[in-house]
Amino acid sequence: MVARTGNRWWIVSLWGLVMVSALGVVHTTHQSRVLTAELEQAQRYRDELRYEQERLLLERGAWSAYSRIEQVAKEQLNMHAPKPSERVLVTAN
């Protein structure tokens, strides 16, 4: 009888370990899926930010072009290139 009780204990213990292992696999698989979804979302956000950065760089380039600056200076600020008679020479002491 002692042998049967000992065998049952081993079977129950092994069965319990298999169940714990199975639950660990389920938990790990779930965490992996959650983290993969978060990674994909972060990569989409990164791509959107890259696109926005490129668009802003192009826009900055257009706004800072010399022709654009000259146009704004002439039209909105009524500026013009100084004539030779309007130039003043500043000397250093």
Side-chain angles (χ1 to χ4, degrees), residues 6-68:
N7 285 340
R8 285 184 191 170
W9 173 250
W10 279 106
I11 291 174
V12 170
S13 297
L14 290 175
W15 185 83
L17 290 174
V18 167
M19 289 297 116
V20 168
S21 175
L23 289 174
V25 169
V26 169
H27 176 72
T28 303
T29 302
H30 175 71
Q31 285 299 105
S32 174
R33 288 179 181 165
V34 167
L35 292 174
T36 301
E38 288 179 14
L39 175 63
E40 289 174 359
Q41 183 179 9
Q43 288 173 339
R44 279 193 303 272
Y45 185 61
R46 178 204 59 202
D47 293 341
E48 289 173 11
L49 289 176
R50 281 186 180 168
Y51 172 75
E52 180 72 10
Q53 180 188 24
E54 290 174 10
R55 188 186 66 75
L56 289 172
L57 287 172
L58 287 173
E59 186 176 335
R60 182 181 72 176
W63 283 98
S64 65
Y66 289 119
S67 60
R68 170 78 178 138

Side-chain angles (χ1 to χ4, degrees), residues 80-91:
H80 64 279
K83 298 175 188 169
S85 62
E86 297 174 330
R87 295 179 188 166
V88 176
L89 181 61
V90 178
T91 59

Side-chain angles (χ1 to χ4, degrees), residues 1-9:
M1 260 211 179
V2 174
R4 286 187 181 178
T5 306
N7 285 340
R8 285 184 191 170
W9 173 250

